[in-house]
């Protein structure tokens, strides 16, 4: 182990200096991308062209790593309470602010617009914060969709848009409660969307193979999309960006819900 470590450290002595303009990457690789990216991918944003086209494999496996993180968090933290361990349930009558405590686990309480289920450590939320977050959330989500849809033409993309979209639902959980947020993003739906994002990405690559080209060679989609190969590459990047955004958003919500409720999905932060 020490021998390998010493060899690796010794190899770093041959690395070019930090920011060295004469480094091989700056003399050959970077100019090639900057000069050819738009002509080859029809994508004005060079960063996105590099991330999703030239090094599409790497980005696909980064998305798989994010999905794996959510999966690991789910298996480590998610717990299903047994019936005999169920705690007392609390409901607040919205019109009178009266709190009802139910100690019988088998007693069913139907959903009602006049009752709000509370957590044992529930504290009143700020009306101003709740109202502000409720008003801002649609605009945040709209901006997130813009970042995803426009990511291959400007700074942004699936990772950034997915994070903003996931954060908008976490904002609802923080300003209201976890239950309200989970009604918008049910656990089962997030459990489907998280791997679906990876499958969308890999599926686009598989379609390229079916069309007789290499995996993630988006130009293969030109015939099906009825466009030039360069435009097909741009659209192919858009498709995989959507997959990345879906995976990132769902995984963020899964991780937050499990961490904030210790896997119980009853009471968040």
């Amino acid at each position: 182990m020490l021998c390998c470590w010493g060899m690796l450290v010794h190899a770093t002595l041959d690395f070019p200096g930090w920011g060295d303009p004469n480094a091989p990457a700056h003399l050959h690789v970077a100019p090639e991308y900057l000069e050819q990216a738009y002509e080859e991918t029809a994508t004005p944003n060079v960063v996105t062209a590099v991330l999703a086209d030239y090094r599409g494999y790497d980005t696909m496996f980064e998305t798989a790593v994010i999905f794996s993180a959510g999966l690991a968090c789910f298996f480590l933290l998610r717990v299903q309470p047994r019936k005999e361990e169920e705690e007392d349930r609390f409901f607040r009558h919205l019109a009178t602010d009266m709190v009802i405590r139910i100690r019988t686990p088998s007693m069913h309480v139907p959903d009602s617009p006049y009752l709000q289920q509370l957590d044992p450590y529930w504290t009143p939320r700020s009306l101003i914060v709740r109202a502000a977050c409720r008003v801002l959330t649609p605009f945040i989500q709209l901006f997130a969709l813009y970042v995803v849809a426009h990511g291959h033409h400007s700074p942004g993309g699936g990772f950034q848009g997915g994070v903003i979209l996931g954060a908008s639902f976490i904002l609802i959980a923080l300003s209201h409660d976890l239950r309200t947020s989970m009604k918008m993003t049910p656990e089962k739906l997030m459990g489907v969307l998280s791997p679906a994002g990876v499958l969308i990405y890999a599926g686009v690559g598989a379609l390229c193979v079916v069309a007789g080209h290499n995996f993630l060679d988006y130009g293969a989609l030109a015939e099906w999309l009825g466009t030039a190969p360069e435009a097909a590459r741009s659209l192919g990047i858009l498709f995989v960006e959507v997959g990345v955004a879906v995976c990132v958003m769902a995984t963020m919500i899964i991780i937050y819900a499990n961490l904030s409720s210790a896997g119980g999905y009853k009471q968040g932060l």
Side-chain angles (χ1 to χ4, degrees), residues 189-256:
L189 178 62
M190 295 301 104
V192 171
L193 290 180
S194 184
V198 182
L199 292 177
I200 290 173
Y201 200 132
V204 173
L207 286 177
C208 299
V209 175
V210 172
H213 288 64
N214 293 326
F215 190 75
L216 291 177
D217 184 358
Y218 308 119
L221 305 176
E223 186 176 350
W224 292 346
L225 297 175
T227 61
E230 294 80 6
R233 299 181 78 88
S234 180
L235 290 173
I237 291 175
L238 174 61
F239 296 150
V240 300
E241 294 280 13
V242 171
V244 172
V246 169
C247 176
V248 170
M249 177 204 69
T251 304
M252 273 187 64
I253 294 172
I254 290 172
I255 292 176
Y256 172 80

Side-chain angles (χ1 to χ4, degrees), residues 12-244:
T12 61
L13 299 177
D14 293 332
F15 283 2
W18 180 260
D20 184 1
N22 295 317
H26 296 156
L27 294 177
H28 308 288
V29 180
E32 175 72 14
Y33 288 154
L34 293 174
E35 294 170 3
Q36 302 296 330
Y38 184 73
E39 181 180 347
E40 294 178 349
T41 67
T43 304
N45 184 9
V46 179
V47 174
T48 303
V50 172
L51 287 176
D53 195 308
Y54 291 117
R55 42 160 282 191
Y57 278 92
D58 188 69
T59 305
M60 184 181 72
F61 286 111
E62 285 176 355
T63 309
V65 168
I66 292 173
F67 162 66
S68 301
L71 193 66
C73 188
F74 175 83
F75 281 117
L76 289 174
L77 296 178
R78 187 72 173 101
V79 293
Q80 294 288 348
R82 291 177 295 183
K83 288 187 177 179
E84 58 270 24
E85 294 180 348
E86 286 188 351
E87 300 173 348
D88 298 344
R89 289 172 294 166
F90 297 87
F91 294 86
R92 182 168 71 100
H93 187 246
L94 298 177
T96 62
D97 263 351
M98 180 182 295
V99 177
I100 305 169
R101 179 179 183 178
I102 299 178
R103 310 194 66 172
T104 307
S106 59
M107 182 176 177
H108 174 67
V109 180
D111 291 335
S112 169
Y114 306 106
L115 293 177
Q116 176 191 14
Q117 187 171 0
L118 305 178
D119 297 312
Y121 304 106
W122 176 82
T123 54
R125 307 285 183 174
S126 166
L127 178 61
I128 296 176
V129 172
R130 291 181 59 180
C133 291
R134 187 176 289 277
V135 170
L136 287 175
T137 297
F139 295 101
I140 296 174
Q141 294 174 343
L142 184 63
F143 179 67
L145 296 177
Y146 168 81
V147 170
V148 174
H150 212 253
H152 57 311
H153 284 281
S154 62
F159 289 104
Q160 295 84 349
V163 167
I164 297 173
L165 202 54
S168 69
F169 291 108
I170 293 176
L171 185 63
I172 290 294
L174 291 171
S175 61
H176 292 67
D177 53 52
L178 185 60
R179 281 194 183 85
T180 303
S181 177
M182 294 309 295
K183 287 180 181 176
M184 301 177 183
T185 55
E187 180 185 12
K188 291 182 180 178
L189 178 62
M190 295 301 104
V192 171
L193 290 180
S194 184
V198 182
L199 292 177
I200 290 173
Y201 200 132
V204 173
L207 286 177
C208 299
V209 175
V210 172
H213 288 64
N214 293 326
F215 190 75
L216 291 177
D217 184 358
Y218 308 119
L221 305 176
E223 186 176 350
W224 292 346
L225 297 175
T227 61
E230 294 80 6
R233 299 181 78 88
S234 180
L235 290 173
I237 291 175
L238 174 61
F239 296 150
V240 300
E241 294 280 13
V242 171
V244 172

